[in-house]
Amino acid sequence: MRIKIKLKYFTGFIIFFIFTLQFLGCKSYYVRKTFDYPVPNDTSDKSIEIQEKKIFSIDGIHVDNRFEGARMNGFRQIDDTTFQIDIKPERVPVNDSPWYAFKIWSDTPRTVDLILQYYDGHHRYIPKISRDRRNWSAIENIEINDDTMQARFRLNLDTAPLWVSAQELITTKDIYDWVNNLRTRPYVQEINVAGRSALGKDLPFVRIGKGEPDKKKVIVVFGRMHPPEITGFMALQSFTENLLIKDTLSELFFDRFDIWLFPVLNPDGVDLGHWRYNANGVDLNRDWAYFRQPEVNQISRFILDRAKKHRNKIILGLDFHSMDRDTYYVFDDSFRTDLKDFKRLYTAAIDRCVYPFRTDYEPTPLSEPYAKTWFYIQFKAESIIYEVGDNTPRDIIRNKAKAAAVELMGLLPQFIK
Ligand SMILES: [Zn+2]
């Protein structure tokens, strides 16, 4: 009798123990570990102003914003040869990144002076023009007046529409087409949808690797959280395409590592021609502790679910952005990850490949709920924000991103046993 009771207790204990282990096991991946950020962010939905989409016509000059990625909010004539285009953000306050894009033409060949009148922002992007939307050239002579928040330049117009854009126009459809074209490339194992944006657009996912995904160490790559940051996206493209070259380096690398690519996190903002926010008026790169926005919520969940299912370890996050100069935002040395010293050697190796071009190296503490911070809080992973300058020569952007791919494949295996 006594033995039976003991056995009963013992069995009960074992069941309880196994249950607890399983519970803890699940929990360890599903709890988004919290952290008291010094700067809290309100990432609840805010209303945005939708621009009126139409052809604006005055005195034989026509301006068109009826396309994805367009932004222009008003058109008026100043004198016989001068016209003004109003550029407004989707909501205020907003950071100083006035995006604009429109098509302009004239009933008769004519030279006009165009004034970009910014509201709630100052001139940042050198205007690019194109006849075919593919090949762009920067306008060289611009008068900038920060007091009046204006930029002024001259255009020769005729009946063929001229594209004018803050940077080369790369919309969500362009990104979807690029992703679809990756389908036949080596190492592209899966093209999928990680979720949908607030307006229902796909959030694409690409798994780059070899064979089965199980137990691979993973590098997560993010792009286009901030709509106007085209140069960061150009770097992401070049980085990706250089991973997809089949040779000894990539063969050895993909034996052990997977790249999980999310090329566009804010497709609504991109197509609405936003300066910063998603369709709910929120900066997605401040929501990685709250997960209130559909894009951040679904992509973080997708990564967690997938890592759990295939027993993956996320070891590095790379988030591509743009600002006034090339910069690596890394963690300072007080952060302990499995990749001690990697960030220094990695960024130094990239820099050597594009010497004497210089990229700033800026270690930062945990300040705000960036995606970069989430990689550390959630996975104890290393993370780098790869910032590309707005005006960095495009060939340097491509060469540097190629170096970022090659050096990643060469260095990372030495850090992960
Ligand atoms: Zn950014």
Side-chain angles (χ1 to χ4, degrees), residues 226 229 276 321-322:
H226 296 142
E229 298 182 5
R276 186 72 170 182
H321 287 257
S322 304

Side-chain angles (χ1 to χ4, degrees), residues 87-107:
I87 309 292
K88 297 177 183 175
E90 60 274 19
R91 80 166 176 88
V92 286
V94 66
N95 75 319
D96 229 349
S97 52
W99 173 263
Y100 53 87
F102 51 85
K103 282 191 281 187
I104 185 166
W105 66 95
S106 169
D107 290 340

